[in-house]
Short mmCIF file of all heavy atoms in Angstrom, two decimals:
data_model
loop_
_atom_site.label_atom_id
_atom_site.label_comp_id
_atom_site.label_asym_id
_atom_site.label_seq_id
_atom_site.Cartn_x
_atom_site.Cartn_y
_atom_site.Cartn_z
N MET A 956 25.71 -5.83 -16.40
CA MET A 956 24.98 -7.09 -16.24
C MET A 956 25.31 -7.71 -14.88
O MET A 956 26.40 -7.52 -14.34
CB MET A 956 25.34 -8.08 -17.35
CG MET A 956 25.02 -7.59 -18.76
SD MET A 956 23.25 -7.66 -19.14
CE MET A 956 22.99 -9.43 -19.26
N GLU A 957 24.36 -8.45 -14.35
CA GLU A 957 24.55 -9.14 -13.08
C GLU A 957 25.41 -10.38 -13.30
O GLU A 957 25.05 -11.26 -14.09
CB GLU A 957 23.20 -9.54 -12.49
CG GLU A 957 23.27 -10.29 -11.18
CD GLU A 957 23.75 -9.43 -10.02
OE1 GLU A 957 23.59 -8.19 -10.10
OE2 GLU A 957 24.28 -10.01 -9.04
N PRO A 958 26.57 -10.48 -12.65
CA PRO A 958 27.42 -11.65 -12.84
C PRO A 958 26.67 -12.96 -12.58
O PRO A 958 25.89 -13.07 -11.62
CB PRO A 958 28.53 -11.45 -11.80
CG PRO A 958 28.59 -9.98 -11.59
CD PRO A 958 27.16 -9.51 -11.71
N GLY A 959 26.89 -13.93 -13.46
CA GLY A 959 26.26 -15.23 -13.30
C GLY A 959 24.90 -15.38 -13.94
O GLY A 959 24.32 -16.46 -13.92
N THR A 960 24.36 -14.29 -14.52
CA THR A 960 23.04 -14.37 -15.16
C THR A 960 23.21 -14.56 -16.66
O THR A 960 24.25 -14.20 -17.24
CB THR A 960 22.23 -13.09 -14.90
OG1 THR A 960 22.93 -11.95 -15.44
CG2 THR A 960 22.02 -12.88 -13.41
N PRO A 961 22.19 -15.13 -17.34
CA PRO A 961 22.29 -15.34 -18.79
C PRO A 961 22.56 -14.03 -19.53
O PRO A 961 21.92 -13.00 -19.26
CB PRO A 961 20.92 -15.92 -19.15
CG PRO A 961 20.44 -16.56 -17.89
CD PRO A 961 20.95 -15.69 -16.78
N GLY A 962 23.52 -14.06 -20.42
CA GLY A 962 23.87 -12.88 -21.20
C GLY A 962 24.96 -12.03 -20.58
O GLY A 962 25.43 -11.08 -21.20
N ALA A 963 25.34 -12.35 -19.34
CA ALA A 963 26.36 -11.55 -18.66
C ALA A 963 27.78 -12.02 -19.01
O ALA A 963 28.76 -11.40 -18.58
CB ALA A 963 26.16 -11.60 -17.15
N GLU A 964 27.89 -13.09 -19.79
CA GLU A 964 29.21 -13.61 -20.15
C GLU A 964 30.02 -12.51 -20.84
O GLU A 964 29.47 -11.67 -21.56
CB GLU A 964 29.09 -14.81 -21.09
CG GLU A 964 28.42 -16.02 -20.47
CD GLU A 964 26.91 -16.01 -20.56
OE1 GLU A 964 26.36 -15.06 -21.18
OE2 GLU A 964 26.26 -16.93 -20.03
N PRO A 965 31.35 -12.49 -20.66
CA PRO A 965 32.19 -11.42 -21.21
C PRO A 965 32.08 -11.27 -22.73
O PRO A 965 32.20 -10.16 -23.25
CB PRO A 965 33.60 -11.84 -20.80
CG PRO A 965 33.39 -12.64 -19.53
CD PRO A 965 32.11 -13.37 -19.75
N THR A 966 31.90 -12.37 -23.46
CA THR A 966 31.60 -12.32 -24.89
C THR A 966 30.44 -13.26 -25.17
O THR A 966 30.05 -14.06 -24.30
CB THR A 966 32.80 -12.73 -25.77
OG1 THR A 966 33.01 -14.15 -25.65
CG2 THR A 966 34.06 -11.99 -25.38
N ASN A 967 29.90 -13.19 -26.37
CA ASN A 967 28.75 -14.02 -26.73
C ASN A 967 29.15 -15.34 -27.39
O ASN A 967 28.34 -16.00 -28.02
CB ASN A 967 27.78 -13.25 -27.63
CG ASN A 967 28.43 -12.84 -28.95
OD1 ASN A 967 29.63 -13.07 -29.19
ND2 ASN A 967 27.65 -12.20 -29.82
N TRP A 968 30.42 -15.72 -27.25
CA TRP A 968 30.91 -16.93 -27.91
C TRP A 968 30.22 -18.19 -27.39
O TRP A 968 29.94 -18.33 -26.20
CB TRP A 968 32.41 -17.11 -27.68
CG TRP A 968 33.27 -16.02 -28.25
CD1 TRP A 968 32.89 -14.94 -28.99
CD2 TRP A 968 34.69 -15.91 -28.10
NE1 TRP A 968 33.97 -14.17 -29.32
CE2 TRP A 968 35.09 -14.74 -28.79
CE3 TRP A 968 35.65 -16.68 -27.46
CZ2 TRP A 968 36.43 -14.33 -28.85
CZ3 TRP A 968 36.98 -16.28 -27.52
CH2 TRP A 968 37.36 -15.11 -28.21
N GLY A 969 30.00 -19.12 -28.31
CA GLY A 969 29.52 -20.43 -27.94
C GLY A 969 30.68 -21.42 -27.83
O GLY A 969 31.71 -21.27 -28.48
N SER A 970 30.50 -22.41 -26.99
CA SER A 970 31.48 -23.49 -26.87
C SER A 970 31.30 -24.48 -28.02
O SER A 970 30.18 -24.68 -28.51
CB SER A 970 31.30 -24.22 -25.53
OG SER A 970 31.87 -25.50 -25.56
N VAL A 971 32.39 -25.10 -28.43
CA VAL A 971 32.33 -26.13 -29.47
C VAL A 971 31.40 -27.26 -29.04
O VAL A 971 30.73 -27.88 -29.87
CB VAL A 971 33.74 -26.68 -29.76
CG1 VAL A 971 33.68 -27.87 -30.71
CG2 VAL A 971 34.62 -25.59 -30.35
N PHE A 972 31.32 -27.51 -27.74
CA PHE A 972 30.53 -28.62 -27.22
C PHE A 972 29.12 -28.22 -26.80
O PHE A 972 28.41 -29.00 -26.16
CB PHE A 972 31.25 -29.26 -26.02
CG PHE A 972 32.53 -29.97 -26.38
CD1 PHE A 972 33.45 -30.29 -25.39
CD2 PHE A 972 32.82 -30.32 -27.69
CE1 PHE A 972 34.63 -30.95 -25.71
CE2 PHE A 972 34.00 -30.98 -28.01
CZ PHE A 972 34.91 -31.29 -27.02
N GLY A 973 28.70 -27.02 -27.16
CA GLY A 973 27.37 -26.56 -26.81
C GLY A 973 27.39 -25.67 -25.58
O GLY A 973 28.23 -25.84 -24.69
N GLY A 974 26.45 -24.71 -25.52
CA GLY A 974 26.41 -23.78 -24.40
C GLY A 974 27.39 -22.65 -24.58
O GLY A 974 28.10 -22.55 -25.60
N PRO A 975 27.50 -21.76 -23.58
CA PRO A 975 28.42 -20.63 -23.69
C PRO A 975 29.87 -21.07 -23.50
O PRO A 975 30.14 -22.12 -22.92
CB PRO A 975 27.98 -19.71 -22.54
CG PRO A 975 27.40 -20.64 -21.52
CD PRO A 975 26.74 -21.75 -22.31
N ALA A 976 30.79 -20.25 -24.00
CA ALA A 976 32.22 -20.53 -23.88
C ALA A 976 32.80 -19.96 -22.59
O ALA A 976 34.03 -19.92 -22.44
CB ALA A 976 32.97 -19.97 -25.09
N TRP A 977 31.95 -19.51 -21.69
CA TRP A 977 32.40 -18.92 -20.42
C TRP A 977 31.71 -19.62 -19.26
O TRP A 977 30.51 -19.95 -19.34
CB TRP A 977 32.07 -17.44 -20.36
CG TRP A 977 32.82 -16.61 -21.37
CD1 TRP A 977 32.41 -16.28 -22.63
CD2 TRP A 977 34.10 -16.02 -21.19
NE1 TRP A 977 33.36 -15.51 -23.25
CE2 TRP A 977 34.42 -15.33 -22.40
CE3 TRP A 977 35.02 -15.98 -20.14
CZ2 TRP A 977 35.61 -14.63 -22.57
CZ3 TRP A 977 36.21 -15.29 -20.31
CH2 TRP A 977 36.49 -14.62 -21.51
N GLU A 978 32.44 -19.82 -18.18
CA GLU A 978 31.88 -20.41 -16.96
C GLU A 978 32.09 -19.45 -15.80
O GLU A 978 33.20 -18.96 -15.57
CB GLU A 978 32.55 -21.76 -16.66
CG GLU A 978 32.04 -22.46 -15.41
CD GLU A 978 30.64 -23.03 -15.56
OE1 GLU A 978 30.10 -23.01 -16.70
OE2 GLU A 978 30.07 -23.49 -14.55
N PHE A 979 31.00 -19.18 -15.10
CA PHE A 979 31.08 -18.25 -13.97
C PHE A 979 31.63 -18.97 -12.74
O PHE A 979 31.21 -20.09 -12.41
CB PHE A 979 29.69 -17.68 -13.65
CG PHE A 979 29.68 -16.68 -12.54
CD1 PHE A 979 30.38 -15.49 -12.64
CD2 PHE A 979 28.98 -16.94 -11.36
CE1 PHE A 979 30.38 -14.56 -11.60
CE2 PHE A 979 28.96 -16.02 -10.33
CZ PHE A 979 29.67 -14.83 -10.45
N ASP A 980 32.59 -18.33 -12.08
CA ASP A 980 33.19 -18.88 -10.87
C ASP A 980 32.74 -18.02 -9.69
O ASP A 980 33.15 -16.86 -9.56
CB ASP A 980 34.72 -18.85 -11.00
CG ASP A 980 35.41 -19.44 -9.78
OD1 ASP A 980 35.24 -20.65 -9.54
OD2 ASP A 980 36.10 -18.69 -9.07
N GLU A 981 31.90 -18.58 -8.84
CA GLU A 981 31.30 -17.79 -7.76
C GLU A 981 32.34 -17.31 -6.75
O GLU A 981 32.19 -16.22 -6.17
CB GLU A 981 30.21 -18.61 -7.06
CG GLU A 981 28.98 -18.85 -7.92
CD GLU A 981 27.81 -19.36 -7.09
OE1 GLU A 981 27.94 -19.40 -5.86
OE2 GLU A 981 26.78 -19.69 -7.69
N LYS A 982 33.37 -18.08 -6.54
CA LYS A 982 34.33 -17.73 -5.50
C LYS A 982 34.99 -16.37 -5.77
O LYS A 982 35.15 -15.55 -4.85
CB LYS A 982 35.40 -18.82 -5.37
CG LYS A 982 36.43 -18.53 -4.30
CD LYS A 982 37.41 -19.67 -4.12
CE LYS A 982 38.41 -19.36 -3.00
NZ LYS A 982 39.38 -20.48 -2.80
N THR A 983 35.38 -16.15 -7.04
CA THR A 983 36.06 -14.88 -7.36
C THR A 983 35.17 -13.92 -8.13
O THR A 983 35.58 -12.80 -8.42
CB THR A 983 37.34 -15.15 -8.18
OG1 THR A 983 36.99 -15.85 -9.38
CG2 THR A 983 38.33 -15.99 -7.38
N GLY A 984 33.97 -14.35 -8.49
CA GLY A 984 33.03 -13.46 -9.15
C GLY A 984 33.39 -13.14 -10.59
O GLY A 984 32.89 -12.15 -11.15
N GLU A 985 34.23 -13.97 -11.22
CA GLU A 985 34.61 -13.76 -12.61
C GLU A 985 34.37 -15.02 -13.43
O GLU A 985 34.10 -16.09 -12.89
CB GLU A 985 36.09 -13.34 -12.72
CG GLU A 985 36.36 -11.95 -12.17
CD GLU A 985 37.77 -11.47 -12.48
OE1 GLU A 985 38.70 -12.34 -12.57
OE2 GLU A 985 37.96 -10.25 -12.60
N TYR A 986 34.49 -14.85 -14.76
CA TYR A 986 34.29 -15.95 -15.69
C TYR A 986 35.64 -16.41 -16.24
O TYR A 986 36.55 -15.60 -16.41
CB TYR A 986 33.45 -15.49 -16.89
CG TYR A 986 32.01 -15.16 -16.60
CD1 TYR A 986 31.65 -13.90 -16.10
CD2 TYR A 986 31.00 -16.08 -16.87
CE1 TYR A 986 30.32 -13.57 -15.86
CE2 TYR A 986 29.66 -15.76 -16.65
CZ TYR A 986 29.34 -14.51 -16.15
OH TYR A 986 28.02 -14.19 -15.93
N TYR A 987 35.74 -17.70 -16.54
CA TYR A 987 36.91 -18.17 -17.28
C TYR A 987 36.47 -18.71 -18.65
O TYR A 987 35.37 -19.23 -18.81
CB TYR A 987 37.70 -19.23 -16.51
CG TYR A 987 36.99 -20.54 -16.24
CD1 TYR A 987 36.99 -21.58 -17.19
CD2 TYR A 987 36.35 -20.77 -15.02
CE1 TYR A 987 36.35 -22.77 -16.94
CE2 TYR A 987 35.72 -21.97 -14.76
CZ TYR A 987 35.71 -22.98 -15.72
OH TYR A 987 35.08 -24.16 -15.47
N LEU A 988 37.35 -18.57 -19.62
CA LEU A 988 37.07 -18.98 -20.99
C LEU A 988 37.33 -20.47 -21.17
O LEU A 988 38.36 -20.99 -20.74
CB LEU A 988 37.96 -18.18 -21.95
CG LEU A 988 37.86 -18.53 -23.44
CD1 LEU A 988 36.48 -18.14 -24.00
CD2 LEU A 988 38.98 -17.84 -24.23
N HIS A 989 36.40 -21.13 -21.86
CA HIS A 989 36.62 -22.53 -22.25
C HIS A 989 36.00 -22.72 -23.64
O HIS A 989 34.80 -22.80 -23.79
CB HIS A 989 35.99 -23.51 -21.24
CG HIS A 989 34.52 -23.36 -21.05
ND1 HIS A 989 33.59 -24.07 -21.79
CD2 HIS A 989 33.80 -22.57 -20.20
CE1 HIS A 989 32.36 -23.72 -21.41
NE2 HIS A 989 32.45 -22.82 -20.45
N LEU A 990 36.83 -22.78 -24.65
CA LEU A 990 36.30 -22.95 -26.00
C LEU A 990 35.66 -24.33 -26.18
O LEU A 990 34.84 -24.52 -27.07
CB LEU A 990 37.41 -22.76 -27.03
CG LEU A 990 38.01 -21.35 -27.10
CD1 LEU A 990 39.11 -21.29 -28.16
CD2 LEU A 990 36.93 -20.32 -27.40
N PHE A 991 36.03 -25.26 -25.31
CA PHE A 991 35.46 -26.60 -25.37
C PHE A 991 34.65 -26.84 -24.09
O PHE A 991 33.80 -26.03 -23.75
CB PHE A 991 36.58 -27.63 -25.61
CG PHE A 991 37.24 -27.42 -26.96
CD1 PHE A 991 38.33 -26.56 -27.11
CD2 PHE A 991 36.75 -28.06 -28.09
CE1 PHE A 991 38.91 -26.34 -28.36
CE2 PHE A 991 37.32 -27.85 -29.34
CZ PHE A 991 38.40 -26.99 -29.47
N SER A 992 34.87 -27.91 -23.38
CA SER A 992 34.10 -28.19 -22.17
C SER A 992 34.44 -27.18 -21.06
O SER A 992 35.53 -26.61 -21.03
CB SER A 992 34.43 -29.61 -21.69
OG SER A 992 34.10 -29.80 -20.33
N LYS A 993 33.50 -27.00 -20.13
CA LYS A 993 33.78 -26.12 -18.99
C LYS A 993 34.86 -26.70 -18.11
O LYS A 993 35.42 -25.99 -17.26
CB LYS A 993 32.51 -25.86 -18.19
CG LYS A 993 31.94 -27.07 -17.47
CD LYS A 993 30.66 -26.69 -16.71
CE LYS A 993 30.07 -27.89 -15.97
NZ LYS A 993 28.82 -27.51 -15.24
N LYS A 994 35.20 -27.98 -18.30
CA LYS A 994 36.32 -28.58 -17.59
C LYS A 994 37.62 -28.50 -18.38
O LYS A 994 38.61 -29.16 -18.04
CB LYS A 994 36.00 -30.04 -17.24
CG LYS A 994 34.93 -30.17 -16.15
CD LYS A 994 34.69 -31.62 -15.74
CE LYS A 994 35.88 -32.22 -15.03
NZ LYS A 994 36.22 -31.55 -13.74
N GLN A 995 37.61 -27.67 -19.44
CA GLN A 995 38.80 -27.46 -20.27
C GLN A 995 39.10 -25.96 -20.41
O GLN A 995 38.96 -25.38 -21.48
CB GLN A 995 38.61 -28.10 -21.65
CG GLN A 995 38.50 -29.61 -21.62
CD GLN A 995 38.09 -30.19 -22.97
OE1 GLN A 995 36.97 -29.96 -23.43
NE2 GLN A 995 38.97 -30.93 -23.60
N PRO A 996 39.51 -25.30 -19.34
CA PRO A 996 39.78 -23.86 -19.41
C PRO A 996 40.96 -23.56 -20.34
O PRO A 996 41.97 -24.26 -20.34
CB PRO A 996 40.11 -23.51 -17.96
CG PRO A 996 40.59 -24.78 -17.34
CD PRO A 996 39.80 -25.87 -18.00
N ASP A 997 40.81 -22.50 -21.11
CA ASP A 997 41.86 -22.11 -22.07
C ASP A 997 43.05 -21.49 -21.37
O ASP A 997 42.89 -20.58 -20.53
CB ASP A 997 41.31 -21.11 -23.09
CG ASP A 997 40.55 -21.79 -24.20
OD1 ASP A 997 39.68 -22.63 -23.89
OD2 ASP A 997 40.81 -21.49 -25.38
N LEU A 998 44.23 -21.97 -21.72
CA LEU A 998 45.47 -21.36 -21.22
C LEU A 998 45.69 -20.02 -21.91
O LEU A 998 45.37 -19.83 -23.09
CB LEU A 998 46.65 -22.29 -21.50
CG LEU A 998 46.75 -23.52 -20.57
CD1 LEU A 998 47.59 -24.61 -21.21
CD2 LEU A 998 47.31 -23.11 -19.21
N ASN A 999 46.28 -19.11 -21.17
CA ASN A 999 46.55 -17.76 -21.68
C ASN A 999 47.97 -17.69 -22.24
O ASN A 999 48.92 -17.44 -21.50
CB ASN A 999 46.34 -16.73 -20.57
CG ASN A 999 46.65 -15.32 -21.05
OD1 ASN A 999 46.81 -15.06 -22.25
ND2 ASN A 999 46.73 -14.38 -20.10
N TRP A 1000 48.10 -17.90 -23.54
CA TRP A 1000 49.41 -17.89 -24.17
C TRP A 1000 50.02 -16.50 -24.26
O TRP A 1000 51.20 -16.36 -24.62
CB TRP A 1000 49.32 -18.54 -25.56
CG TRP A 1000 49.43 -20.03 -25.49
CD1 TRP A 1000 48.51 -20.90 -24.96
CD2 TRP A 1000 50.51 -20.84 -25.94
NE1 TRP A 1000 48.96 -22.19 -25.05
CE2 TRP A 1000 50.19 -22.19 -25.66
CE3 TRP A 1000 51.73 -20.54 -26.57
CZ2 TRP A 1000 51.05 -23.24 -25.97
CZ3 TRP A 1000 52.57 -21.60 -26.89
CH2 TRP A 1000 52.23 -22.92 -26.59
N GLU A 1001 49.28 -15.48 -23.93
CA GLU A 1001 49.86 -14.14 -23.87
C GLU A 1001 50.87 -14.04 -22.73
O GLU A 1001 51.75 -13.19 -22.73
CB GLU A 1001 48.76 -13.09 -23.67
CG GLU A 1001 47.77 -12.97 -24.82
CD GLU A 1001 48.41 -12.43 -26.09
OE1 GLU A 1001 49.21 -11.47 -25.99
OE2 GLU A 1001 48.12 -12.98 -27.17
N ASN A 1002 50.73 -14.92 -21.74
CA ASN A 1002 51.60 -14.93 -20.57
C ASN A 1002 52.86 -15.75 -20.87
O ASN A 1002 52.78 -16.95 -21.10
CB ASN A 1002 50.85 -15.54 -19.38
CG ASN A 1002 51.63 -15.46 -18.08
OD1 ASN A 1002 52.85 -15.41 -18.08
ND2 ASN A 1002 50.90 -15.47 -16.97
N PRO A 1003 54.05 -15.13 -20.88
CA PRO A 1003 55.28 -15.88 -21.21
C PRO A 1003 55.57 -17.01 -20.23
O PRO A 1003 56.23 -17.99 -20.60
CB PRO A 1003 56.37 -14.81 -21.17
CG PRO A 1003 55.80 -13.67 -20.39
CD PRO A 1003 54.33 -13.70 -20.63
#
C-alpha cells in the first residue's frame, strides 16, 4: 500500500474517538499508534 493513503494503516483498528487508530508521519514515512486522539500516541510498554 502507498503510505499515507486510506487503508494503508498498519492495522484496521479504529480510534476510540473516531477515525483510524494510526496517524501517518510524513517526516519519517511511518505511522504511530493512538488508541485515542491522534495527539495521544501510545507508549510502548514492551520497552523497559
Side-chain angles (χ1 to χ4, degrees):
M956 300 285 289
E957 179 69 24
T960 61
E964 296 86 3
T966 72
N967 62 357
W968 297 357
S970 160
V971 173
F972 292 164
W977 294 91
E978 180 72 8
F979 182 63
D980 182 65
E981 290 194 6
K982 181 176 181 179
T983 59
E985 291 189 330
Y986 292 83
Y987 64 85
L988 176 68
H989 59 91
L990 295 180
F991 296 89
S992 161
K993 66 181 181 180
K994 289 184 68 63
Q995 294 171 294
D997 278 49
L998 285 159
N999 178 11
W1000 276 69
E1001 296 293 318
N1002 186 334

